[in-house]
Amino acid sequence: MRRLLSNCGILSDGDTEYRYIKKGYLAIDGDTITYIGESKPDGEFDQIKDMTGKLLIPGLVNTHTHSPMCLLRGIGSDLPLQNWLFDKVFPIEDRMTKEDILAGSQLAILEMLACGTTSFSDMYMEPEMTVGAVSKAGMKANICRPVQEFDGDERPQDNYRVKESLELFDKLNGADNDRIRVDFCIHAEYTCTEAVARYYGQLCREHGGNMHIHLSETQKEHQECIEKYGKTPAKWFADAGVFESRTMAAHCVWVTRDDMELLKEKGVSVIHNPTSNMKLGSGFAHVQEMMDMGILLGLGTDGAASNNNLNMFEEMHLASILHNGYTGDPTIMRPADVFRMATLNGAKIQGRVNTGKLQVGMRADIAAINLDAPHLYPALDVLALICYSAQGSDVCMTMVDGQILYENGEYFTIDREQVMAEAKAAVKRLYGI
Amino acid sequence: MRRLLSNCGILSDGDTEYRYIKKGYLAIDGDTITYIGESKPDGEFDQIKDMTGKLLIPGLVNTHTHSPMCLLRGIGSDLPLQNWLFDKVFPIEDRMTKEDILAGSQLAILEMLACGTTSFSDMYMEPEMTVGAVSKAGMKANICRPVQEFDGDERPQDNYRVKESLELFDKLNGADNDRIRVDFCIHAEYTCTEAVARYYGQLCREHGGNMHIHLSETQKEHQECIEKYGKTPAKWFADAGVFESRTMAAHCVWVTRDDMELLKEKGVSVIHNPTSNMKLGSGFAHVQEMMDMGILLGLGTDGAASNNNLNMFEEMHLASILHNGYTGDPTIMRPADVFRMATLNGAKIQGRVNTGKLQVGMRADIAAINLDAPHLYPALDVLALICYSAQGSDVCMTMVDGQILYENGEYFTIDREQVMAEAKAAVKRLYGI
C-alpha cells in the first residue's frame, strides 16, 4: 500500500539536529518512508490522508517497563518502598496467572498506543503472553524473560529461568518481520548470583543478544552490593562479563563517576526513568553528566505500579525539567536531547537501526500530534512544545511499520472493549473486586 | 435550574478526609450543591444528566499564574534565566497591547477550562482585560494589578500602579456574583521600595484586601535582599507591615526555617509552583515541611512562559513525586494532601469559603473526569489515580456556579474559533509570524 500524509508538520532527521517542516508531505510504501518534503511528491497513492494541523513525529520508544504491572496501578501508593514491594506488589504478583499477564499486557498496549508509543522494552514473567499481545496489536517490543537466582548452591545450568530465556530467544527473536525481539535479562545484582550472571552473560554473548538489567536504582541496593562484594553493582556486572554483550541498564541513579566511565567504556546504554525514581524516592540519575560523557541514554516509564502510567510525554516532560531543578541550571537537558532519548536513542538501544527518526528509508513508525489545541498554541518551538506543553492525549494517530494502529480513540488491530473486559476479569481475580 | 448528575463517582468532603462514593448522585439548585449521596434524591429536576463512568471532583484552583503569558509559550526555552527574561520575555511584554492581553487571557481560559480549572489567581498588566475574559467565560478569578516601584525618590502616593490597583479594587471586587475578586499585589521585594510596600500594605489592610506576592523564588533574589537590607525577603515584607493583611506568597523556594515560622505566625499562605521552579532551575520549595508546620499551601502553574502550560494535573503530579525524589522518602506529599492544595486550600487562599470541596451548601464548581480510559484502569485508589495517572485531558466537563462551561471539547460561553483567531492575530502582532 502506498500512502501519502499531506499538509502536516514533520519533525524529521535528528541524528544531530532536528529539521522541522511546518507544512509538508510524507509518503509511505508498505512499511517504509519513501518521501519527506515541502512539496507534493509525484506518483500514485492508494490513500492520500489529509493531516492538516497535525505534527508527525517518530513513534516513541519506551525502553524500560513491566507492562503487565498496569494491573497493579495505584496499589500501596505512598508506602515506604519495602512495605510497598513486600506487602502489596509481591503478594499480588504471586497470584498472577498467565491469563492475568496477557490481560495486563493488552491493557498496557491500549494505553501506550494512545499516547504515541510504537515500541517498548519489557521485563516480566510469562513473556510469551506479552509477545502474543504485542504481535496481535502489530506493535514493536523487545521482550525478555528476567533471570534471577537466589540459591547459590544450584548449578547455573540448572536455573530454569535461564532455560526459559534461551527458549524464548530461539523461538521468537525476530518474529513478525522483526517487530518482536527477544532480549536477555539479568533482573539485578541483588537478585542474582555471580555464577549465574557469568554463565548467562556468556550465553548472551554467544547468541549475540542484548542484555537488559536494573542497575543501582536505589542507594540501598548500591551500598549493600559494595558491602557484600567490595564493589559497585556496575563493577560486579562488568567483572561477571555481562557488559561484553550490548547492555541496557535501567535507572543508574546511584552509579559513581567510575561506574559511568565503565559504562562508557563498555558501551552500556542507560535508561532514565524519572517518574519512577522520584515517586519511589530513589533519587535523581545524573543523566546530563552521562550524556556529556557520550553514554547512550534512553527513556522509560518503568511499570505502572511505580509511575502510575505508561505515558512517555510525562517522562519527556520530567526529564526536561527535573535536572534543572536540582542543578539550578535551566540550560541543561534540552528538548532536542530529551526527545532524541525518547525516540532515536531508544531505537538504537533496542538494536533497531531502521527506526527512531523520520527519514527516507526508515520504517514508518510515526505518531501524529494534533496541534489544534489551546495549550499547544503558539507553536513557536515544536521541540519545546512536545517536551513542556503537550500531553500524551495530544497524540491523534499512532502508526507502526506503515500500519495505523490507533487514531482518534479508535484501535484497528485491538478490540478495545474485549481488552477492557479481560482486564476487569483479571482485576476481579486478583483483588476480588 | 435544578440539575441532577447521576450514576457517577463523587469525591466529596476533604476538610480532613475525602469521602469517595463509587456510584452516586449530586444535585444542584442554581449555583449550589443541594444533595450528595448513593441513592437517588427525591424531587423534580429540570435536567437529569447521566454521568456513568465519570468521577466528579471539586474544580481545580490555580492560585498563581500570569494568564496572558500563554502568548509567550515556548520562547527562549533553555536559556539562562537572565537572558530568558531580559532578551526574550521583557521585549515581547513591552510590545503587548491591551488587545494582546485580552487575547492571551482568553486563550488561557480555554486551556484552563479544558483541564478542570474553575478558578485562578492572576497577576499581570492591564488586569481589566483579564477580568473581561473571565467574566465572559463565567469562570472565577482573583485578579490583581501588580505594584512595582523602581524609583526611590517618588512619593509612594504618586505610584500610578498603586492608584490603578485601588481603582480596580473599588470597581470590580465582588463582581459577577463574587466570581471576580480583586487582590492587592506587590510584585516582589526586588521590584519595590520599602516606602511603597509600607504605604500600599497599609491601604490593603484598610480595604480588607488579600495581598498576592512573589517571595524568595530564586536564590539570587533571596541573597541580594539579605545583602541590601540585612534581612530576608519574608522579613522585609513583614517589617513593612504587608503580612498584616491576608497574604499569599508564590514560590517560597529559598525561605529559611525562620521565614517559615514568620509565615506561619502571620498566617501567610504559600503557593507551590513545582514545574516553574524546576524548569527555571529555581530549586525545590520545602512544602512538606511547611505543611507539617500548619502553613496553608496552594498550587499554581505560574505563567505558561515558564511551564509551558496551565495544566493543574501536571502540578499535582509533580507536587506528589518530586519531593519524594530529593528527600528519598516516598511517603511524603500524599495524594490527598496534594489534591487538597489544588482545590480546597486554593479556594481558602482566594478567600472563597463557599467552594473548593463537594459538599451540600457549597457552590457547584465541579470537574468531571472520564474514568473510561486504559490509563485510568484499575481505579483502585482514586486520589492516587488523580495525582499520578490522570492527564488534564481526562477532564470531560467543567462547571462553575452550576453552569457547564466546558464539555467534551465544546465551550458554552466562549466562541473557541474566535478566541483562537484573536490569539493568532496577537501572535502575528507580537512576533510577525
Side-chain angles (χ1 to χ4, degrees), chain A residues 73 75 78 278-279 308-309 317-318 324 335 372 374 377 388-389 391-393 416 424, chain B residues 73 78 278-279 308 314 318 324 335 372 374 377 380 388-389 391-393 416 424:
Chain A
R73 195 192 309 278
I75 64 162
D78 303 289
M278 285 210 271
K279 182 169 188 303
N308 295 341
N309 60 38
H317 183 215
L318 285 178
N324 303 3
D372 180 22
Y377 189 79
Y388 299 129
S389 306
Q391 304 177 58
S393 55
R416 183 192 191 278
K424 276 171 198 171
Chain B
R73 196 192 309 277
D78 303 287
M278 284 209 271
K279 182 168 188 305
N308 294 340
E314 288 185 4
L318 286 178
N324 303 3
D372 180 23
Y377 190 80
L380 299 172
Y388 300 128
S389 306
Q391 303 178 55
S393 55
R416 182 191 191 278
K424 276 172 196 168

mmCIF file of all heavy atoms in Angstrom, chain A residues 73 75 78 278-279 308-309 317-318 324 335 372 374 377 388-389 391-393 416 424, chain B residues 73 78 278-279 308 314 318 324 335 372 374 377 380 388-389 391-393 416 424:
data_model
loop_
_atom_site.group_PDB
_atom_site.id
_atom_site.type_symbol
_atom_site.label_atom_id
_atom_site.label_comp_id
_atom_site.label_asym_id
_atom_site.label_seq_id
_atom_site.Cartn_x
_atom_site.Cartn_y
_atom_site.Cartn_z
ATOM 1 N N ARG A 73 -1.759 -0.793 39.113
ATOM 2 C CA ARG A 73 -1.771 0.680 39.142
ATOM 3 C C ARG A 73 -2.403 1.200 40.440
ATOM 4 O O ARG A 73 -3.540 0.882 40.757
ATOM 5 C CB ARG A 73 -2.606 1.173 37.960
ATOM 6 C CG ARG A 73 -2.463 2.619 37.615
ATOM 7 C CD ARG A 73 -3.524 3.089 36.621
ATOM 8 N NE ARG A 73 -3.674 2.300 35.419
ATOM 9 C CZ ARG A 73 -2.913 2.392 34.331
ATOM 10 N NH1 ARG A 73 -1.928 3.261 34.303
ATOM 11 N NH2 ARG A 73 -3.143 1.631 33.288
ATOM 12 N N ILE A 75 -1.687 0.646 43.650
ATOM 13 C CA ILE A 75 -1.725 -0.066 44.939
ATOM 14 C C ILE A 75 -0.583 0.401 45.830
ATOM 15 O O ILE A 75 0.542 0.630 45.387
ATOM 16 C CB ILE A 75 -1.685 -1.609 44.813
ATOM 17 C CG1 ILE A 75 -0.377 -2.098 44.208
ATOM 18 C CG2 ILE A 75 -2.878 -2.138 44.048
ATOM 19 C CD1 ILE A 75 -0.152 -3.564 44.482
ATOM 20 N N ASP A 78 2.462 5.581 48.279
ATOM 21 C CA ASP A 78 2.997 6.333 49.411
ATOM 22 C C ASP A 78 3.371 5.498 50.616
ATOM 23 O O ASP A 78 3.562 6.009 51.696
ATOM 24 C CB ASP A 78 2.015 7.444 49.840
ATOM 25 C CG ASP A 78 1.738 8.347 48.664
ATOM 26 O OD1 ASP A 78 2.629 9.089 48.284
ATOM 27 O OD2 ASP A 78 0.641 8.243 48.101
ATOM 28 N N MET A 278 11.560 9.318 41.060
ATOM 29 C CA MET A 278 11.067 10.324 42.002
ATOM 30 C C MET A 278 10.005 9.734 42.906
ATOM 31 O O MET A 278 10.053 9.895 44.116
ATOM 32 C CB MET A 278 10.505 11.520 41.240
ATOM 33 C CG MET A 278 11.611 12.389 40.658
ATOM 34 S SD MET A 278 11.141 14.109 40.526
ATOM 35 C CE MET A 278 10.429 14.066 38.901
ATOM 36 N N LYS A 279 9.039 9.050 42.295
ATOM 37 C CA LYS A 279 7.899 8.565 43.083
ATOM 38 C C LYS A 279 8.334 7.628 44.200
ATOM 39 O O LYS A 279 7.839 7.708 45.320
ATOM 40 C CB LYS A 279 6.897 7.859 42.163
ATOM 41 C CG LYS A 279 5.670 7.389 42.909
ATOM 42 C CD LYS A 279 4.576 6.944 41.984
ATOM 43 C CE LYS A 279 3.308 6.683 42.785
ATOM 44 N NZ LYS A 279 3.468 5.702 43.856
ATOM 45 N N ASN A 308 2.194 6.443 37.858
ATOM 46 C CA ASN A 308 1.417 5.247 37.632
ATOM 47 C C ASN A 308 0.769 5.197 36.264
ATOM 48 O O ASN A 308 -0.424 4.913 36.152
ATOM 49 C CB ASN A 308 0.310 5.155 38.679
ATOM 50 C CG ASN A 308 0.832 4.985 40.100
ATOM 51 O OD1 ASN A 308 1.959 4.597 40.337
ATOM 52 N ND2 ASN A 308 -0.020 5.267 41.056
ATOM 53 N N ASN A 309 1.517 5.456 35.220
ATOM 54 C CA ASN A 309 1.002 5.256 33.874
ATOM 55 C C ASN A 309 2.169 4.948 32.935
ATOM 56 O O ASN A 309 3.317 4.800 33.389
ATOM 57 C CB ASN A 309 0.172 6.473 33.409
ATOM 58 C CG ASN A 309 0.975 7.755 33.387
ATOM 59 O OD1 ASN A 309 2.149 7.749 33.035
ATOM 60 N ND2 ASN A 309 0.355 8.866 33.769
ATOM 61 N N HIS A 317 8.691 15.277 29.719
ATOM 62 C CA HIS A 317 8.480 16.499 30.486
ATOM 63 C C HIS A 317 9.388 16.525 31.716
ATOM 64 O O HIS A 317 10.126 17.493 31.956
ATOM 65 C CB HIS A 317 6.995 16.555 30.891
ATOM 66 C CG HIS A 317 6.599 17.779 31.625
ATOM 67 N ND1 HIS A 317 5.664 17.778 32.608
ATOM 68 C CD2 HIS A 317 7.021 19.053 31.516
ATOM 69 C CE1 HIS A 317 5.514 19.006 33.083
ATOM 70 N NE2 HIS A 317 6.329 19.794 32.433
ATOM 71 N N LEU A 318 9.359 15.428 32.462
ATOM 72 C CA LEU A 318 10.155 15.373 33.688
ATOM 73 C C LEU A 318 11.650 15.398 33.385
ATOM 74 O O LEU A 318 12.406 16.095 34.057
ATOM 75 C CB LEU A 318 9.807 14.120 34.487
ATOM 76 C CG LEU A 318 8.470 14.203 35.195
ATOM 77 C CD1 LEU A 318 8.173 12.905 35.923
ATOM 78 C CD2 LEU A 318 8.477 15.354 36.187
ATOM 79 N N ASN A 324 17.125 20.499 35.786
ATOM 80 C CA ASN A 324 17.276 21.935 36.017
ATOM 81 C C ASN A 324 17.059 22.235 37.497
ATOM 82 O O ASN A 324 17.730 23.090 38.077
ATOM 83 C CB ASN A 324 16.224 22.742 35.229
ATOM 84 C CG ASN A 324 16.256 22.485 33.736
ATOM 85 O OD1 ASN A 324 17.025 21.668 33.264
ATOM 86 N ND2 ASN A 324 15.407 23.178 32.999
ATOM 87 N N PRO A 335 15.289 20.180 25.070
ATOM 88 C CA PRO A 335 14.219 19.390 24.471
ATOM 89 C C PRO A 335 14.706 18.462 23.352
ATOM 90 O O PRO A 335 14.282 17.304 23.279
ATOM 91 C CB PRO A 335 13.256 20.449 23.944
ATOM 92 C CG PRO A 335 13.417 21.579 24.887
ATOM 93 C CD PRO A 335 14.886 21.602 25.238
ATOM 94 N N ASP A 372 -3.993 21.512 17.041
ATOM 95 C CA ASP A 372 -5.132 22.423 17.173
ATOM 96 C C ASP A 372 -5.724 22.337 18.579
ATOM 97 O O ASP A 372 -6.814 21.809 18.791
ATOM 98 C CB ASP A 372 -6.195 22.084 16.119
ATOM 99 C CG ASP A 372 -7.402 23.021 16.226
ATOM 100 O OD1 ASP A 372 -7.241 24.131 16.779
ATOM 101 O OD2 ASP A 372 -8.493 22.619 15.788
ATOM 102 N N PRO A 374 -5.675 24.657 22.477
ATOM 103 C CA PRO A 374 -5.256 25.910 23.112
ATOM 104 C C PRO A 374 -3.905 25.801 23.828
ATOM 105 O O PRO A 374 -3.110 26.732 23.781
ATOM 106 C CB PRO A 374 -6.384 26.191 24.114
ATOM 107 C CG PRO A 374 -7.581 25.481 23.579
ATOM 108 C CD PRO A 374 -7.059 24.272 22.859
ATOM 109 N N TYR A 377 -0.714 26.280 21.619
ATOM 110 C CA TYR A 377 -0.594 27.489 20.813
ATOM 111 C C TYR A 377 -0.002 28.616 21.649
ATOM 112 O O TYR A 377 -0.395 28.754 22.795
ATOM 113 C CB TYR A 377 -1.960 27.913 20.255
ATOM 114 C CG TYR A 377 -1.809 29.020 19.254
ATOM 115 C CD1 TYR A 377 -1.414 28.736 17.954
ATOM 116 C CD2 TYR A 377 -1.962 30.344 19.635
ATOM 117 C CE1 TYR A 377 -1.194 29.748 17.056
ATOM 118 C CE2 TYR A 377 -1.741 31.365 18.731
ATOM 119 C CZ TYR A 377 -1.356 31.065 17.447
ATOM 120 O OH TYR A 377 -1.130 32.070 16.559
ATOM 121 N N TYR A 388 7.478 20.256 26.901
ATOM 122 C CA TYR A 388 6.975 21.032 28.038
ATOM 123 C C TYR A 388 5.463 21.193 28.046
ATOM 124 O O TYR A 388 4.863 21.366 29.098
ATOM 125 C CB TYR A 388 7.594 22.439 28.053
ATOM 126 C CG TYR A 388 9.079 22.491 28.174
ATOM 127 C CD1 TYR A 388 9.855 23.238 27.282
ATOM 128 C CD2 TYR A 388 9.741 21.827 29.205
ATOM 129 C CE1 TYR A 388 11.227 23.314 27.395
ATOM 130 C CE2 TYR A 388 11.111 21.895 29.327
ATOM 131 C CZ TYR A 388 11.855 22.644 28.411
ATOM 132 O OH TYR A 388 13.212 22.716 28.542
ATOM 133 N N SER A 389 4.833 21.255 26.871
ATOM 134 C CA SER A 389 3.417 21.654 26.826
ATOM 135 C C SER A 389 2.464 20.508 26.518
ATOM 136 O O SER A 389 1.314 20.535 26.962
ATOM 137 C CB SER A 389 3.211 22.740 25.757
ATOM 138 O OG SER A 389 4.083 23.824 25.958
ATOM 139 N N GLN A 391 0.459 16.897 26.117
ATOM 140 C CA GLN A 391 0.028 15.751 26.905
ATOM 141 C C GLN A 391 0.040 14.517 25.992
ATOM 142 O O GLN A 391 -0.063 14.643 24.780
ATOM 143 C CB GLN A 391 -1.399 15.942 27.418
ATOM 144 C CG GLN A 391 -1.632 17.190 28.235
ATOM 145 C CD GLN A 391 -3.092 17.335 28.636
ATOM 146 O OE1 GLN A 391 -3.650 16.468 29.278
ATOM 147 N NE2 GLN A 391 -3.699 18.430 28.253
ATOM 148 N N GLY A 392 0.096 13.344 26.595
ATOM 149 C CA GLY A 392 0.030 12.115 25.810
ATOM 150 C C GLY A 392 -1.213 12.065 24.947
ATOM 151 O O GLY A 392 -1.198 11.570 23.814
ATOM 152 N N SER A 393 -2.291 12.624 25.464
ATOM 153 C CA SER A 393 -3.573 12.595 24.753
ATOM 154 C C SER A 393 -3.584 13.488 23.520
ATOM 155 O O SER A 393 -4.540 13.446 22.743
ATOM 156 C CB SER A 393 -4.687 13.033 25.696
ATOM 157 O OG SER A 393 -4.361 14.305 26.230
ATOM 158 N N ARG A 416 -10.932 -3.008 21.706
ATOM 159 C CA ARG A 416 -10.797 -2.268 22.960
ATOM 160 C C ARG A 416 -11.740 -2.801 24.035
ATOM 161 O O ARG A 416 -11.336 -2.991 25.188
ATOM 162 C CB ARG A 416 -11.076 -0.777 22.709
ATOM 163 C CG ARG A 416 -10.904 0.123 23.926
ATOM 164 C CD ARG A 416 -11.490 1.502 23.641
ATOM 165 N NE ARG A 416 -11.160 2.491 24.640
ATOM 166 C CZ ARG A 416 -11.801 2.638 25.799
ATOM 167 N NH1 ARG A 416 -12.785 1.848 26.129
ATOM 168 N NH2 ARG A 416 -11.436 3.603 26.642
ATOM 169 N N LYS A 424 -10.783 -6.266 33.366
ATOM 170 C CA LYS A 424 -11.701 -6.271 34.517
ATOM 171 C C LYS A 424 -11.787 -7.658 35.147
ATOM 172 O O LYS A 424 -11.813 -7.793 36.367
ATOM 173 C CB LYS A 424 -13.088 -5.786 34.090
ATOM 174 C CG LYS A 424 -13.145 -4.261 34.098
ATOM 175 C CD LYS A 424 -14.389 -3.669 33.500
ATOM 176 C CE LYS A 424 -14.074 -2.197 33.186
ATOM 177 N NZ LYS A 424 -15.091 -1.527 32.415
ATOM 178 N N ARG B 73 4.395 31.269 25.220
ATOM 179 C CA ARG B 73 4.679 29.838 25.387
ATOM 180 C C ARG B 73 5.854 29.396 24.519
ATOM 181 O O ARG B 73 5.817 29.542 23.301
ATOM 182 C CB ARG B 73 3.434 29.048 24.970
ATOM 183 C CG ARG B 73 3.406 27.608 25.417
ATOM 184 C CD ARG B 73 2.295 26.809 24.737
ATOM 185 N NE ARG B 73 0.967 27.393 24.790
ATOM 186 C CZ ARG B 73 0.116 27.289 25.805
ATOM 187 N NH1 ARG B 73 0.467 26.639 26.881
ATOM 188 N NH2 ARG B 73 -1.079 27.857 25.742
ATOM 189 N N ASP B 78 15.262 27.087 27.669
ATOM 190 C CA ASP B 78 16.598 26.603 27.994
ATOM 191 C C ASP B 78 17.681 27.655 27.928
ATOM 192 O O ASP B 78 18.857 27.333 27.907
ATOM 193 C CB ASP B 78 16.963 25.404 27.106
ATOM 194 C CG ASP B 78 15.932 24.320 27.263
ATOM 195 O OD1 ASP B 78 15.933 23.685 28.304
ATOM 196 O OD2 ASP B 78 15.107 24.152 26.349
ATOM 197 N N MET B 278 11.196 24.062 38.798
ATOM 198 C CA MET B 278 12.148 23.116 38.224
ATOM 199 C C MET B 278 12.661 23.627 36.891
ATOM 200 O O MET B 278 13.860 23.652 36.645
ATOM 201 C CB MET B 278 11.493 21.751 38.049
ATOM 202 C CG MET B 278 11.368 21.023 39.373
ATOM 203 S SD MET B 278 11.426 19.234 39.164
ATOM 204 C CE MET B 278 9.706 18.939 38.914
ATOM 205 N N LYS B 279 11.726 24.054 36.023
ATOM 206 C CA LYS B 279 12.120 24.434 34.674
ATOM 207 C C LYS B 279 13.128 25.580 34.681
ATOM 208 O O LYS B 279 14.090 25.577 33.910
ATOM 209 C CB LYS B 279 10.888 24.821 33.858
ATOM 210 C CG LYS B 279 11.208 25.179 32.424
ATOM 211 C CD LYS B 279 9.976 25.277 31.569
ATOM 212 C CE LYS B 279 10.379 25.435 30.120
ATOM 213 N NZ LYS B 279 11.273 26.559 29.860
ATOM 214 N N ASN B 308 5.388 24.761 30.355
ATOM 215 C CA ASN B 308 4.788 25.754 29.474
ATOM 216 C C ASN B 308 3.318 25.498 29.194
ATOM 217 O O ASN B 308 2.896 25.523 28.040
ATOM 218 C CB ASN B 308 5.521 25.763 28.135
ATOM 219 C CG ASN B 308 6.961 26.239 28.229
ATOM 220 O OD1 ASN B 308 7.387 26.905 29.152
ATOM 221 N ND2 ASN B 308 7.744 25.906 27.226
ATOM 222 N N GLU B 314 -0.680 18.352 35.904
ATOM 223 C CA GLU B 314 0.779 18.216 35.920
ATOM 224 C C GLU B 314 1.366 18.739 37.227
ATOM 225 O O GLU B 314 2.324 18.175 37.753
ATOM 226 C CB GLU B 314 1.393 18.962 34.723
ATOM 227 C CG GLU B 314 1.134 18.260 33.406
ATOM 228 C CD GLU B 314 1.832 18.916 32.224
ATOM 229 O OE1 GLU B 314 2.591 19.901 32.423
ATOM 230 O OE2 GLU B 314 1.623 18.455 31.097
ATOM 231 N N LEU B 318 3.544 16.537 39.803
ATOM 232 C CA LEU B 318 4.892 16.897 40.243
ATOM 233 C C LEU B 318 4.964 17.099 41.740
ATOM 234 O O LEU B 318 5.909 16.644 42.387
ATOM 235 C CB LEU B 318 5.350 18.171 39.525
ATOM 236 C CG LEU B 318 5.717 17.952 38.067
ATOM 237 C CD1 LEU B 318 6.101 19.263 37.424
ATOM 238 C CD2 LEU B 318 6.874 16.971 37.970
ATOM 239 N N ASN B 324 9.459 13.444 47.055
ATOM 240 C CA ASN B 324 9.965 12.097 47.327
ATOM 241 C C ASN B 324 11.376 11.965 46.769
ATOM 242 O O ASN B 324 12.235 11.329 47.363
ATOM 243 C CB ASN B 324 9.107 11.023 46.630
ATOM 244 C CG ASN B 324 7.641 11.082 47.022
ATOM 245 O OD1 ASN B 324 7.229 11.958 47.766
ATOM 246 N ND2 ASN B 324 6.864 10.143 46.509
ATOM 247 N N PRO B 335 -1.257 11.923 48.059
ATOM 248 C CA PRO B 335 -2.228 12.439 47.085
ATOM 249 C C PRO B 335 -3.346 13.264 47.716
ATOM 250 O O PRO B 335 -3.723 14.306 47.180
ATOM 251 C CB PRO B 335 -2.768 11.156 46.435
ATOM 252 C CG PRO B 335 -1.637 10.201 46.507
ATOM 253 C CD PRO B 335 -0.953 10.498 47.817
ATOM 254 N N ASP B 372 -13.242 6.109 31.916
ATOM 255 C CA ASP B 372 -13.233 5.033 30.909
ATOM 256 C C ASP B 372 -12.042 5.208 29.970
ATOM 257 O O ASP B 372 -12.185 5.535 28.793
ATOM 258 C CB ASP B 372 -14.550 5.039 30.124
ATOM 259 C CG ASP B 372 -14.570 3.931 29.080
ATOM 260 O OD1 ASP B 372 -13.829 2.951 29.250
ATOM 261 O OD2 ASP B 372 -15.315 4.070 28.089
ATOM 262 N N PRO B 374 -7.912 3.482 29.307
ATOM 263 C CA PRO B 374 -6.980 2.422 29.716
ATOM 264 C C PRO B 374 -5.999 2.873 30.797
ATOM 265 O O PRO B 374 -5.693 2.110 31.711
ATOM 266 C CB PRO B 374 -6.233 2.088 28.413
ATOM 267 C CG PRO B 374 -7.167 2.491 27.316
ATOM 268 C CD PRO B 374 -7.942 3.668 27.847
ATOM 269 N N TYR B 377 -7.280 2.665 34.488
ATOM 270 C CA TYR B 377 -7.807 1.399 34.975
ATOM 271 C C TYR B 377 -6.665 0.520 35.479
ATOM 272 O O TYR B 377 -5.627 0.470 34.834
ATOM 273 C CB TYR B 377 -8.580 0.657 33.873
ATOM 274 C CG TYR B 377 -9.310 -0.524 34.440
ATOM 275 C CD1 TYR B 377 -10.517 -0.346 35.100
ATOM 276 C CD2 TYR B 377 -8.738 -1.792 34.405
ATOM 277 C CE1 TYR B 377 -11.146 -1.420 35.694
ATOM 278 C CE2 TYR B 377 -9.375 -2.865 35.000
ATOM 279 C CZ TYR B 377 -10.574 -2.670 35.634
ATOM 280 O OH TYR B 377 -11.194 -3.728 36.241
ATOM 281 N N LEU B 380 -8.098 1.664 41.620
ATOM 282 C CA LEU B 380 -8.035 1.073 42.959
ATOM 283 C C LEU B 380 -7.994 2.151 44.029
ATOM 284 O O LEU B 380 -8.373 1.920 45.165
ATOM 285 C CB LEU B 380 -6.779 0.189 43.075
ATOM 286 C CG LEU B 380 -6.709 -0.992 42.102
ATOM 287 C CD1 LEU B 380 -5.342 -1.661 42.180
ATOM 288 C CD2 LEU B 380 -7.804 -2.004 42.407
ATOM 289 N N TYR B 388 -1.344 10.720 40.121
ATOM 290 C CA TYR B 388 -0.256 10.031 39.447
ATOM 291 C C TYR B 388 -0.573 9.602 38.011
ATOM 292 O O TYR B 388 0.331 9.492 37.191
ATOM 293 C CB TYR B 388 0.155 8.773 40.223
ATOM 294 C CG TYR B 388 0.630 8.998 41.628
ATOM 295 C CD1 TYR B 388 0.089 8.287 42.694
ATOM 296 C CD2 TYR B 388 1.645 9.909 41.900
ATOM 297 C CE1 TYR B 388 0.539 8.479 43.991
ATOM 298 C CE2 TYR B 388 2.099 10.106 43.199
ATOM 299 C CZ TYR B 388 1.540 9.383 44.238
ATOM 300 O OH TYR B 388 1.984 9.570 45.514
ATOM 301 N N SER B 389 -1.836 9.270 37.735
ATOM 302 C CA SER B 389 -2.150 8.630 36.452
ATOM 303 C C SER B 389 -2.867 9.534 35.461
ATOM 304 O O SER B 389 -2.701 9.377 34.252
ATOM 305 C CB SER B 389 -3.023 7.384 36.679
ATOM 306 O OG SER B 389 -2.431 6.512 37.598
ATOM 307 N N GLN B 391 -4.371 12.645 33.158
ATOM 308 C CA GLN B 391 -3.921 13.794 32.379
ATOM 309 C C GLN B 391 -5.008 14.881 32.460
ATOM 310 O O GLN B 391 -6.168 14.576 32.694
ATOM 311 C CB GLN B 391 -3.745 13.427 30.914
ATOM 312 C CG GLN B 391 -2.805 12.282 30.645
ATOM 313 C CD GLN B 391 -2.714 11.933 29.164
ATOM 314 O OE1 GLN B 391 -2.420 12.774 28.334
ATOM 315 N NE2 GLN B 391 -2.983 10.697 28.837
ATOM 316 N N GLY B 392 -4.611 16.118 32.198
ATOM 317 C CA GLY B 392 -5.601 17.186 32.179
ATOM 318 C C GLY B 392 -6.735 16.888 31.210
ATOM 319 O O GLY B 392 -7.900 17.223 31.459
ATOM 320 N N SER B 393 -6.391 16.218 30.119
ATOM 321 C CA SER B 393 -7.381 15.929 29.078
ATOM 322 C C SER B 393 -8.403 14.886 29.508
ATOM 323 O O SER B 393 -9.371 14.651 28.796
ATOM 324 C CB SER B 393 -6.666 15.428 27.826
ATOM 325 O OG SER B 393 -5.864 14.319 28.185
ATOM 326 N N ARG B 416 -14.817 29.409 20.709
ATOM 327 C CA ARG B 416 -13.453 28.885 20.619
ATOM 328 C C ARG B 416 -12.741 29.379 19.364
ATOM 329 O O ARG B 416 -11.579 29.788 19.419
ATOM 330 C CB ARG B 416 -13.496 27.346 20.625
ATOM 331 C CG ARG B 416 -12.123 26.678 20.573
ATOM 332 C CD ARG B 416 -12.295 25.172 20.317
ATOM 333 N NE ARG B 416 -11.068 24.422 20.496
ATOM 334 C CZ ARG B 416 -10.097 24.305 19.592
ATOM 335 N NH1 ARG B 416 -10.185 24.923 18.432
ATOM 336 N NH2 ARG B 416 -9.017 23.576 19.838
ATOM 337 N N LYS B 424 -4.219 34.222 17.325
ATOM 338 C CA LYS B 424 -3.345 34.223 16.141
ATOM 339 C C LYS B 424 -3.004 35.640 15.708
ATOM 340 O O LYS B 424 -1.863 35.938 15.326
ATOM 341 C CB LYS B 424 -4.007 33.449 14.998
ATOM 342 C CG LYS B 424 -3.746 31.958 15.150
ATOM 343 C CD LYS B 424 -4.506 31.072 14.180
ATOM 344 C CE LYS B 424 -4.427 29.652 14.735
ATOM 345 N NZ LYS B 424 -5.317 28.697 14.106
#
